[in-house]
Amino acid sequence: TIGGDSVKSYVSSHLKDMNRRNVYKLLCGMEETSKSELAHITGISPPTVMKIVQFLAERELVLEVGEGESPLGRKPQMLRLNKNRYYSIGVIHEGDYLKVGISNLKNEVLTLKKVRVQADFDQVMGETLFQVINELLVGSDIQLSNVLGIGLGIPGTYDVKREKVIMAPLIGLTQETDISDVIRKVESYYGKPVSVDNDLNMEVMGEFLSLGLTEENDLIYLSFGTGIGSGVILNGKLRRGKNYMCGEVGYMAFLDDYVADAHHAGWLESRINLNALREKFGFAQDGSIPEDSREAVIEYVAVSGALCINNMMMCYDCDNISLGGELFDLLGDGLFHSMEEKLNRLSVSGARLRRRSCMDPGVLGAAAVAKEEMIRQLLREQE
């Protein structure tokens, strides 16, 4: 049984944390503001806002930037988030590519590096990952002590509770694989917590942030590249599914005699992943698509892609749909417009597609996930 004083103490502490978090989130979304404006927007009393601002200033999360304008009376002291006080690292292992970026507290990706890799999980996680992170830290002159954490997105179905990849055939993981040792190795080397999820879950969270969507919004993000996958956010919450299979659209099948095999790419993914397209259409050695094959590749990908998007729209009734991935980098607006045209014929509800809204939503999302828990800790009262 919890006594009355304990309950009051818990409620009071929880309310303080919530108020601090609300003020911090407002600072993240504004260029400059004042204590009075924060009190007005949040409904928190001015004395409490003053205490919160002092709390944030002691942790170097807020800066005073001079006086603002006021038509009457004393000019307000303006405040700004100290956005470059802390950073987080986002990593996306997409199969053929490893992308690593460093983001600040305003979710601005300050530096980004993309390298071509072999689809070998052990080699990428055991060697390449460390090389690229270290190069970025040195090149950007960011101190490791100012990094809050590392977010890692991996292709395939991932159980976040058991730290196990259930299946990821495109990077050579054909059976359930415990990657806890890999995670602990990275955490030990950098002395930072590592947050892991499916790469498309990281992508959709980054796109959600970039678009400025709220808890009332839905979003589907589809990526066409080494494989095909999607991330789904419903009412502002990431949907993983009971078996962590939500968004694994690579296993969609449009043939009734097809037999699925968890050790290999799914039907849809086996048709339009980068390696399959290279073999079918004969890409150049540097990975580019010959001009005389370009239209044929676009048509081939757009047919299956539009079917996939339409099926997802019918399942989720979602009006925010973003598309990205290596194939859009290679084929550009031609692929987008072809998919859009085919989808408009298929869809009974109408569709509003968009290209991804930022350079790399996966890196942005992974960095934001890594930062989240550490920010919660910074905003708690230290005993």
Side-chain angles (χ1 to χ4, degrees):
T1 303
I2 300 176
D5 290 343
S6 297
V7 171
K8 288 179 183 177
S9 176
Y10 171 79
V11 171
S12 175
S13 176
H14 180 70
L15 184 60
K16 283 182 179 179
D17 289 348
M18 185 173 66
N19 285 341
R20 288 190 198 114
R21 189 156 182 79
N22 285 339
V23 170
Y24 173 79
K25 286 176 69 175
L26 269 178
L27 286 165
C28 287
M30 305 171 80
E31 274 301 311
E32 292 183 0
T33 186
S34 65
K35 295 171 189 174
S36 60
E37 186 175 18
L38 289 170
H40 175 73
I41 295 173
T42 61
I44 302 170
S45 70
T48 300
V49 168
M50 289 180 67
K51 290 180 181 178
I52 292 172
V53 170
Q54 181 180 353
F55 179 93
L56 297 176
E58 288 170 355
R59 282 149 184 78
E60 302 180 43
L61 292 171
V62 67
L63 299 171
E64 293 187 347
V65 292
E67 293 182 340
E69 297 298 322
S70 176
L72 297 172
R74 186 177 177 181
K75 292 182 178 180
Q77 182 66 47
M78 302 305 291
L79 307 169
R80 178 184 296 165
L81 181 74
N82 188 6
K83 64 181 183 179
N84 292 321
R85 175 63 181 87
Y86 293 107
Y87 306 89
S88 52
I89 297 171
V91 180
I92 295 293
H93 179 15
E94 197 238 6
D96 287 344
Y97 295 93
L98 182 74
K99 293 173 280 189
V100 182
I102 301 178
S103 170
N104 64 12
L105 291 178
K106 273 216 170 210
N107 296 316
E108 298 167 339
V109 177
L110 305 177
T111 181
L112 179 69
K113 188 176 181 67
K114 174 180 170 182
V115 296
R116 188 96 183 245
V117 295
Q118 297 295 321
D120 183 318
F121 183 78
D122 290 335
Q123 181 181 351
V124 172
M125 292 297 106
E127 298 177 20
T128 314
L129 173 67
F130 295 94
Q131 294 170 3
V132 178
I133 290 178
N134 292 345
E135 287 174 9
L136 278 184
L137 287 171
V138 172
S140 59
D141 201 28
I142 289 173
Q143 299 298 313
L144 183 59
S145 58
N146 294 332
V147 173
L148 295 174
I150 300 169
L152 171 61
I154 57 176
T157 309
Y158 181 70
D159 185 329
V160 295
K161 293 181 179 178
R162 297 189 300 146
E163 296 184 331
K164 289 186 176 183
V165 178
I166 299 170
M167 54 183 174
L170 289 178
I171 57 170
L173 302 181
T174 58
Q175 58 187 359
E176 188 172 280
T177 305
D178 187 329
I179 64 166
S180 58
D181 287 347
V182 173
I183 298 171
R184 300 292 89 76
K185 181 180 178 181
V186 179
E187 288 180 333
S188 175
Y189 182 86
Y190 290 106
K192 306 294 176 182
V194 175
S195 305
V196 184
D197 209 328
N198 167 268
D199 60 338
L200 265 300
N201 288 342
M202 297 298 198
E203 299 259 9
V204 74
M205 287 188 280
E207 180 73 358
F208 194 86
L209 279 173
S210 178
L211 291 172
L213 300 180
T214 69
E215 293 178 357
E216 299 176 353
N217 295 124
D218 302 331
L219 174 66
I220 294 172
Y221 182 87
L222 289 114
S223 177
F224 297 80
T226 302
I228 173 174
S230 72
V232 179
I233 289 178
L234 303 175
N235 295 324
K237 294 184 179 179
L238 178 69
R239 173 67 181 170
R240 290 190 177 92
K242 182 178 179 181
N243 298 303
Y244 299 96
M245 291 291 288
C246 184
E248 292 288 353
V249 295
Y251 290 92
M252 280 188 178
F254 305 144
L255 295 176
D256 63 357
D257 61 349
Y258 173 74
V259 179
D261 178 358
H263 298 300
H264 299 90
W267 182 88
L268 184 58
E269 192 165 62
S270 66
R271 282 177 59 85
I272 57 176
N273 72 69
L274 276 171
N275 287 331
L277 293 172
R278 285 190 192 101
E279 292 179 8
K280 184 175 180 65
F281 293 98
F283 288 10
Q285 287 188 346
D286 63 0
S288 62
I289 299 173
E291 281 302 317
D292 57 357
S293 300
R294 196 174 190 81
E295 289 304 317
V297 176
I298 287 174
E299 178 69 14
Y300 181 81
V301 174
V303 169
S304 294
L307 287 168
C308 171
I309 296 167
N310 182 64
N311 290 349
M312 293 199 76
M313 287 172 54
M314 292 302 98
C315 289
Y316 295 111
D317 192 20
C318 175
D319 62 350
N320 285 306
I321 302 172
S322 295
L323 307 178
E326 293 298 321
L327 278 175
F328 282 98
D329 294 341
L330 286 170
L331 296 166
D333 289 339
L335 177 60
F336 178 81
H337 293 315
S338 182
M339 275 193 191
E340 186 176 44
E341 182 269 327
K342 289 173 171 55
L343 184 60
N344 285 335
R345 295 203 312 264
L346 292 168
S347 174
V348 296
S349 60
R352 185 171 64 87
L353 298 182
R354 60 164 65 91
R355 295 282 299 272
R356 68 187 181 202
S357 61
C358 63
M359 181 182 295
D360 202 297
V363 167
L364 174 61
V369 168
K371 176 184 67 176
E372 187 66 19
E373 179 55 34
M374 299 306 294
I375 288 295
R376 284 198 186 97
Q377 292 184 28
L378 281 170
L379 296 180
R380 291 192 189 110
E381 194 81 59
Q382 295 182 2
E383 298 296 335

